Amino acid sequence: MSTSMNDCVRFVQHTRGNDKVFRVLQYTLRFLIAKGFQCKQISHLEYYITLARKVVRITRDIEYVSLGLDAMKNPDRVEAIGRTIAAFGKCCWLLTDHIDL
């Protein structure tokens, strides 16, 4: 794998913490909205945090493609095929999750 691909994967692994922070904020705001705190600012903030979380998660596709490519190099063919299918399946699932952007 090239150096730039390794750098991309390393960056994506660091963004997981951001996704967790955004998730906590998103669900906290959804909880407040469900409990009756209906104000325009909270609704807008929840929308933008949801959007930011999706943008952060888009980059995780790179990590799954990298895992799939690395799995193909495994000498055990059955394990290589299984891991490749799993990695590309997760990548496809994330891509379809982002379609409603």
Side-chain angles (χ1 to χ4, degrees), residues 3 18 32 50 60 70 94:
T3 308
N18 294 341
L32 290 174
T50 301
R60 292 189 65 195
D70 286 344
L94 275 175

Side-chain angles (χ1 to χ4, degrees), residues 4-19:
S4 60
M5 184 68 148
N6 285 335
D7 291 340
C8 266
V9 169
R10 203 170 312 125
F11 171 75
V12 169
Q13 289 172 344
H14 288 296
T15 62
R16 283 188 184 172
N18 294 341
D19 181 43

